[in-house]
Amino acid sequence: MDIRKGIGVSPGVAIAQAFVLDAEELHIPQRRVRPEAIAEELQRLADALARSQEELISLRDRTAQRLGTELAAIFDFHLALLNDNTLQERFRDSINKEFVTAESAVAGVLRSYAKEFLQMPQEWADRVKDVYDIEKRLLRQLIGQSRENLTKLRGDVVLLARDLTPSQTANLNREHIRGLATDAGGRTSHTAIVAKALGIPAVVGLNDVTTSANAGDIVIIDGNRGVVIIDPDQPTLEQHRQYERRLVEFEQSLDLVRDLPAVTLDGHEVTLLGNIEFPEEALTVLGKGGTGIGLYRTEFLYLGQETEPTEEEHYKAYCQVLEVMGDRPVTIRTLDLGADKYTQKRSAIPERNPFLGCRSIRFCFQNMGLFKTQLRAILRASMNGNISVMFPLITSIMELRQAKMILRDVMEDLEDEGIHVRSDVPIGMMVEVPSAALQCNDFAEEVDFFSIGTNDLIQYTLAVDRANERVAPLFTGANPAVLGLIKQVIRAGQRHDVDVSLCGEMGGEIEYTLLLLGMGLRTFSVAPPSIPELKKLIRSVTIEHARQVARRVSTFVTDTEILSYLRDQVRQVMPEAF
Ligand code: PEP
Ligand code: MG
């Protein structure tokens, strides 16, 4: 039995066999397979060799045509290496005798092969780069295969991965994946957000879970405590099965408040909206007692498929959400691509620092066709429901004005084409960069609403990468500087009569609810599974109590004092939440 501690990002307990996904290209863990799986590994190796050979032949022929036979000869060398019987025999031997996966065999054999090259005369030693190249090609074939397998799962599994790419996350097989554990990631990485939205128990930031477990091992994922247990003994297994039953009972007890209004004991109304990534989640929001969508992360439409979505695809997705929501509010955020929500492979120019790079609204401004396609679809859909448009990652007034101007242009184009759209669609912005929070009084003159994105606001205020497990303990909304910015935005909203909601993960974390209410926040947009718990707490407190909490918090100067005080307060009102 092996117990690992990580960051619990999506609650619940999952117990199932492990499916280990090798998602990292060059670090291939030495992973053993069961003897009965050897034949399958040998077949995977043979397929990878054959496909790599086809690739090389076509590359050689194309290079010869374009650049001449001399340059094309490099691929002849690769082909000769790949077809070398002795080398192929070494791969097979490694699988047969060491019981490892095909990718482990390829990585292991080619790395020692590379070392042998380095011992040779210079002319050969220089060719070590070609050995690495062959290794990469073969590994890509093999890893590509295991990625494909992910969509073809038959039985229930818990998925262990280094991390998931956004497109893998967007295509997660919800039917068979009971739980998720990753080596990388933080509390608000895209993997964490999607797992929570889908209600899949998840733990991230485990560092080495993929090298600690073998495919087929029984694994427990405890998303509440952030613990993963590999190969548990019988008493531990039984204990977790009981714990799982208790959690289900707690969930069921929350069903009782689902259809009741979110009103405090002293009669203050609070609005609870849902965050969604996929149109189908709109139903879940209603099922959990949400009264609208406060954040539709439309970039997942993009991430879930290979090609750019067309205007019709955007339009269909938005109408699907509106059909479910009726006249309830739906806030559509324009594409927030880039940084962690864009595979670097798909970015034409890889960036050294993508979180500070061409992401989000900046990316849209540089890809005007893509941006306008989405705006057209949103405006057309505006005729079918209660839509608002929200721009992400706004950092300056000029940027906001530019986004609004483009929206107006698109509106005029549609009118010229005789397509009717609503001219009074509310326009809002995410406040998720410190510059926007600090200048919120000016921004308030130019928008209809603010939505505070604490995931990015924390990241940019504290200089902590939200997806990096190595700095995850530094990522906290309880930092007084972060709280100061949030307070400032809520105040600006009150002063200028601009609606303010909060849609970062912090809004769904029960320890912050009292504090945020006390600061004056009245609209929360959270992952749908968090809605019932939040509602139960709101119905159990008074605004007077919340204000006292906020006043007390403003006297503390460290995040640890704040968090322990807040936990204590919530525990007194709703002990079962912990
Ligand atoms: C945020 O930054 O808080 C937010 C809600 O947006 P995302 O997590 O999609 O970046
Ligand atoms: Mg954000």
Side-chain angles (χ1 to χ4, degrees), residues 97 111 143 161 214 243 271 311 316 343 364 413 446 515:
K97 295 184 183 151
R111 274 166 210 184
I143 292 166
N214 291 315
Y243 177 44
T271 305
E311 184 181 322
K316 251 173 74 186
T343 54
C364 286
D413 288 350
E446 311 207 11
L515 171 63

Side-chain angles (χ1 to χ4, degrees), residues 32-45:
R32 294 186 167 279
V33 292
R34 292 160 199 271
E36 56 274 22
I38 292 287
E40 194 183 325
E41 291 305 310
L42 288 170
Q43 189 55 50
R44 289 182 63 222
L45 172 72

Side-chain angles (χ1 to χ4, degrees), residues 170 187-198 274-279 281 293-304 314 317-318 321 330-337 340-341 359 374 378 390 392 430 432 451-456 466 502-507 525-528:
R187 196 170 291 286
T188 64
S189 52
H190 71 266
T191 313
I193 287 171
V194 174
K196 197 164 172 187
L198 301 180
N275 293 346
I276 63 167
E277 287 73 34
F278 311 101
E281 284 176 273
I293 310 273
L295 168 66
Y296 179 5
R297 291 183 165 100
T298 55
E299 54 279 3
F300 279 82
L301 195 63
Y302 211 95
L303 299 169
H314 279 286
Y318 306 150
V321 174
V330 174
T331 299
I332 302 192
R333 182 176 72 180
T334 60
L335 294 168
D336 186 22
L337 292 167
D340 65 331
K341 282 182 283 189
R359 69 169 286 207
Q374 173 173 42
I378 296 176
M390 175 157 75
M430 298 279 299
E432 53 182 345
S451 188
I452 307 175
T454 49
N455 304 340
D456 278 311
R466 61 191 265 188
L502 188 145
C503 64
E505 295 311 296
M506 188 176 164
S525 189
V526 300

Side-chain angles (χ1 to χ4, degrees), residues 154-451:
R154 292 224 171 73
D156 287 354
V157 295
V158 294
L159 178 62
L160 311 184
R162 165 91 202 118
D163 196 4
L164 297 179
T165 64
S167 53
Q168 284 172 324
T169 320
N171 289 314
L172 274 185
N173 179 330
R174 299 171 218 188
E175 200 186 329
H176 290 308
I177 296 176
R178 319 298 321 161
L180 171 67
T182 62
D183 293 339
R187 196 170 291 286
T188 64
S189 52
H190 71 266
T191 313
I193 287 171
V194 174
K196 197 164 172 187
L198 301 180
I200 299 175
V203 179
V204 303
L206 288 147
N207 292 310
D208 56 359
V209 71
T210 49
T211 47
S212 315
N214 291 315
D217 283 350
I218 294 292
V219 172
I220 300 175
I221 293 188
D222 177 348
N224 292 60
R225 298 176 181 142
V227 169
V228 169
I229 305 172
I230 301 160
D231 201 12
D233 57 26
Q234 207 48 42
T236 310
L237 203 56
E238 199 34 55
Q239 198 186 356
H240 279 81
R241 290 210 167 107
Q242 272 179 26
Y243 177 44
E244 191 181 7
R245 284 194 284 274
R246 279 208 309 278
L247 283 179
V248 172
E249 277 165 23
F250 175 56
E251 281 288 309
Q252 285 164 350
S253 78
L254 291 176
D255 280 352
L256 299 174
V257 298
R258 204 182 49 194
D259 297 324
L260 301 175
V263 184
T264 60
L265 288 175
D266 47 354
H268 291 261
E269 274 180 35
V270 178
T271 305
L272 291 182
L273 308 171
N275 293 346
I276 63 167
E277 287 73 34
F278 311 101
E280 309 87 72
E281 284 176 273
L283 264 177
T284 322
V285 173
L286 292 186
K288 292 286 176 187
T291 54
I293 310 273
L295 168 66
Y296 179 5
R297 291 183 165 100
T298 55
E299 54 279 3
F300 279 82
L301 195 63
Y302 211 95
L303 299 169
Q305 58 187 51
E306 283 301 311
T307 52
E308 238 174 65
T310 60
E311 184 181 322
E312 272 326 291
E313 283 170 323
H314 279 286
Y315 179 72
K316 251 173 74 186
Y318 306 150
C319 288
Q320 190 181 335
V321 174
L322 293 173
E323 204 180 321
V324 174
M325 299 312 290
D327 57 4
R328 296 178 186 88
V330 174
T331 299
I332 302 192
R333 182 176 72 180
T334 60
L335 294 168
D336 186 22
L337 292 167
D340 65 331
K341 282 182 283 189
Y342 200 71
T343 54
Q344 284 297 299
K345 262 187 237 132
R346 283 178 69 184
S347 157
I349 310 160
E351 296 183 291
R352 205 174 304 160
N353 204 340
F355 273 114
L356 302 183
C358 182
R359 69 169 286 207
S360 199
I361 196 79
R362 305 169 185 178
F363 181 85
C364 286
F365 288 166
Q366 291 187 25
N367 292 273
M368 206 49 90
L370 166 142
F371 192 31
K372 286 191 168 177
T373 299
Q374 173 173 42
L375 294 178
R376 282 176 67 91
I378 296 176
L379 287 170
R380 280 174 54 206
S382 71
M383 297 300 281
N384 302 345
N386 184 0
I387 275 188
S388 303
V389 184
M390 175 157 75
F391 299 118
L393 207 82
I394 295 291
T395 56
S396 70
I397 293 280
M398 287 310 287
E399 214 167 34
L400 173 67
R401 288 186 185 160
Q402 189 178 350
K404 285 172 69 176
M405 196 181 72
I406 297 166
L407 184 71
R408 257 197 314 275
D409 282 352
V410 173
M411 212 178 265
E412 279 168 20
D413 288 350
L414 286 166
E415 272 158 18
D416 289 348
E417 291 169 36
I419 299 170
H420 294 300
V421 298
R422 264 180 51 200
S423 56
D424 58 349
V425 176
I427 300 173
M429 61 180 266
M430 298 279 299
V431 180
E432 53 182 345
V433 181
S435 65
L438 291 166
Q439 212 188 338
C440 54
N441 283 302
D442 297 328
F443 278 109
E445 303 279 349
E446 311 207 11
V447 288
D448 298 309
F449 64 93
F450 287 142
S451 188

Side-chain angles (χ1 to χ4, degrees), residues 82-151:
L82 201 66
N83 288 327
D84 181 32
N85 272 336
T86 330
L87 183 67
Q88 293 196 2
E89 204 45 50
R90 280 172 74 173
F91 291 149
R92 286 191 284 270
D93 259 13
S94 171
I95 297 177
N96 276 319
K97 295 184 183 151
E98 292 161 37
F99 298 101
V100 292
T101 58
E103 49 270 34
S104 298
V106 164
V109 168
L110 281 175
R111 274 166 210 184
S112 61
Y113 204 60
K115 278 194 201 131
E116 291 162 28
F117 259 64
L118 288 170
Q119 315 291 324
M120 294 183 189
Q122 192 60 39
E123 172 190 353
W124 281 94
D126 285 347
R127 302 223 106 166
V128 74
K129 286 201 276 316
D130 296 310
V131 177
Y132 290 138
D133 213 4
I134 291 279
E135 184 199 0
K136 260 197 239 163
R137 186 174 304 282
L138 278 169
L139 289 181
R140 218 175 290 130
Q141 292 292 351
L142 287 161
I143 292 166
Q145 264 183 309
S146 71
R147 277 184 188 160
E148 219 180 328
N149 287 345
L150 189 55
T151 59

